């Protein structure tokens, strides 16, 4: 198996799906000749031509509106929003149209499209280029919100997203785009959407994370195992909406303790929803309050303060130790 970055792994998924299915098309700003601002679509324009890899004007609402028309017309468009911080202009199209076609037409029409967008801090970009706003899209019913955490699961989830009959928002942690490599099988691999994964088994505490926070979480729990012999069970959410709360609840019933790590601001967030579901379904199993390690309720700071804003393994360790020692 080749060791790929997340950029290379997503590119592999796009290329393979375009080969497998001639109805799969790409569109977005600079996705064609330039291969995308982060080079995720590099080489696709040369291989599949301008009829299937389409450069568009800088108009996010127009990109998604076009993708919706393509999807209803029988294609499987993968639309790129160059940065998630500029994607809100297309939220109207997602909420008012893409997410509603199945119910609006009583199942007569679906809207099989993928919206790709890089998100999050950690690459010394400016404020609108560094936001983590998965909770905004998770509030839209009728579509799935997927956040891969590694090259291998990014490739397998992208394949599943393209084949899904309903709209999928695929948020790519650009901090992880090229920060590490992972073995990715040459043969096809698909991961189911809407299903969390237990990536470390343990009985002392449950640690939940997603996206760019997963490498931070794994470094923290591995270090803590060596330092204190703590066996943490680590859950990678992967799809934050619809949320696979069963996997999280069953883990917390076993461990009795839980820490949730998210990059996004604290209030009205995915972690808030997880805490509410644990209160509903696992309250009597808890031996300590559920702790949230979150971003601050502020605009993402400029890169001079970025390292103070982003979580480190040491912060995760501190949150775990406080919960264990409660």
């Amino acid at each position: 198996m080749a060791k790929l970055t997340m950029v290379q792994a997503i590119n592999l998924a796009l290329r393979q799906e375009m080969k497998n299915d001639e109805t799969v098309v790409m569109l977005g700003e600079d996705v064609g000749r330039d291969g995308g601002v982060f080079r995720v679509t590099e080489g696709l324009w040369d291989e599949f031509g301008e009829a299937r890899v389409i450069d568009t004007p800088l108009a996010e609402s127009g990109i998604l509106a076009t993708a919706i028309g393509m999807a209803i017309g029988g294609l499987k468009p993968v639309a790129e929003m160059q940065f998630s911080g500029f994607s809100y202009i297309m939220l109207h199209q997602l909420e008012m149209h893409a997410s509603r076609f199945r119910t609006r037409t009583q199942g007569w029409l679906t809207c099989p499209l993928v919206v790709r967008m890089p998100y999050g801090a950690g690459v010394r970009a400016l404020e609108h280029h560094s936001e983590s706003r998965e909770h905004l899209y998770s509030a839209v019913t009728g579509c799935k919100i997927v956040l891969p955490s590694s090259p291998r699961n990014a490739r397998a989830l992208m394949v599943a997203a393209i084949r899904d009959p309903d709209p999928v928002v695929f948020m790519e942690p650009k901090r992880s785009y090229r920060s590490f490599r992972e073995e990715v099988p040459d043969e096809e691999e698909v991961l189911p959407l809407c299903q969390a994964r237990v990536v470390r088994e343990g009985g002392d505490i449950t640690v939940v994370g997603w996206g760019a926070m997963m490498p931070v979480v794994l470094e923290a729990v591995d270090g803590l195992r060596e330092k204190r012999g703590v066996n943490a069970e680590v859950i990678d959410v992967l799809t934050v909406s619809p949320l696979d709360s069963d996997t999280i609840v069953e883990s917390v019933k076993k461990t009795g303790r839980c820490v949730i790590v998210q990059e996004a601001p604290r209030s009205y967030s995915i972690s808030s929803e997880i805490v509410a579901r644990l209160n509903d379904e696992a309250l009597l199993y808890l031996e300590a309050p559920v702790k949230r390690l979150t971003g601050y309720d502020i605009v993402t700071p400029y890169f001079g303060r970025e390292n103070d804003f982003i979580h480190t393994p040491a912060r995760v360790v501190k949150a775990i130790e406080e919960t264990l020692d409660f």
Side-chain angles (χ1 to χ4, degrees):
M1 291 189 287
K3 281 194 168 185
L4 304 181
T5 64
M6 184 178 286
V7 166
Q8 293 170 325
I10 296 172
N11 180 275
L12 174 63
L14 298 174
R15 175 174 280 103
Q16 289 184 336
E17 284 306 287
M18 291 189 80
K19 285 182 178 177
N20 292 337
D21 186 348
E22 64 180 13
T23 67
V24 178
V25 297
M26 309 287 138
L27 70 159
E29 304 156 31
D30 301 325
V31 301
R33 290 178 182 271
D34 287 346
V37 66
F38 290 102
R39 302 294 180 261
V40 174
T41 56
E42 189 168 38
L44 301 182
W45 186 87
D46 295 325
E47 186 169 351
F48 299 100
E50 61 184 8
R52 294 184 65 191
V53 185
I54 304 162
D55 279 324
T56 69
L58 196 163
E60 287 80 1
S61 180
I63 294 170
L64 188 54
T66 303
I68 292 169
M70 289 176 163
I72 294 171
L75 299 176
K76 295 178 182 176
V78 180
E80 179 180 296
M81 302 295 148
Q82 205 164 73
F83 290 92
S84 67
F86 297 99
S87 66
Y88 313 126
I89 300 169
M90 67 86 181
L91 183 58
H92 167 79
Q93 291 290 340
L94 185 73
E95 208 286 335
M96 295 294 285
H97 300 297
S99 67
R100 295 171 183 249
F101 263 96
R102 178 180 287 279
T103 53
R104 180 179 290 166
T105 64
Q106 299 182 344
W108 183 54
L109 291 175
T110 61
C111 196
L113 61 83
V114 179
V115 183
R116 293 183 40 247
M117 58 175 84
Y119 84 95
V123 297
R124 298 176 64 81
L126 302 178
E127 54 167 325
H128 287 105
H129 301 72
S130 301
E131 296 180 343
S132 182
R133 294 282 195 264
E134 58 269 28
H135 53 291
L136 291 182
Y137 291 102
S138 297
V140 179
T141 56
C143 60
K144 302 174 180 69
I145 314 302
V146 177
L147 283 85
S149 61
S150 76
R152 185 167 182 172
N153 65 43
R155 184 273 191 101
L157 290 167
M158 174 57 76
V159 173
I162 292 173
R163 298 178 184 180
D164 195 272
D166 293 302
V168 177
V169 177
F170 200 87
M171 301 185 69
E172 300 164 4
K174 58 180 175 289
R175 182 184 184 187
S176 302
Y177 263 164
R178 290 185 171 84
S179 60
F180 63 100
R181 293 176 178 267
E182 188 179 38
E183 289 187 338
V184 177
D186 295 329
E187 61 273 15
E188 178 180 294
E189 191 170 51
V190 186
L191 273 179
L193 303 181
C194 311
Q195 188 171 317
R197 297 190 84 187
V198 177
V199 294
R200 294 278 195 283
E201 292 191 0
D204 296 328
I205 189 169
T206 300
V207 184
V208 180
W210 56 91
M213 291 298 96
M214 286 310 299
V216 179
V217 166
L218 292 174
E219 183 177 340
V221 300
D222 289 345
L224 201 53
R225 181 182 295 112
E226 292 184 11
K227 177 184 174 185
R228 287 185 53 174
V230 174
N231 287 313
E233 183 143 295
V234 179
I235 295 176
D236 187 347
V237 176
L238 295 175
T239 301
V240 296
S241 179
L243 180 68
D244 174 17
S245 52
D246 288 348
T247 298
I248 301 171
V249 168
E250 289 307 309
S251 176
V252 173
K253 283 182 177 178
K254 179 176 70 174
T255 65
R257 291 177 168 84
C258 183
V259 172
I260 307 165
V261 183
Q262 71 175 27
E263 181 177 341
R266 186 180 190 82
S267 300
Y268 317 107
S269 61
I270 304 298
S271 66
S272 306
E273 180 64 28
I274 294 173
V275 171
R277 296 192 188 194
L278 289 174
N279 281 338
D280 287 341
E281 302 178 49
L283 181 63
L284 298 182
Y285 294 86
L286 291 173
E287 297 179 38
V290 178
K291 181 177 282 294
R292 289 188 292 160
L293 183 61
T294 72
Y296 304 100
D297 288 339
I298 59 172
V299 172
T300 306
Y302 291 112
F303 52 78
R305 301 287 185 190
E306 193 175 49
N307 288 337
D308 297 323
F309 181 81
I310 298 172
H311 298 315
T312 61
R315 288 186 194 172
V316 179
V317 167
K318 183 172 182 289
I320 294 173
E321 288 182 324
E322 288 174 349
T323 305
L324 288 171
D325 297 337
F326 177 80

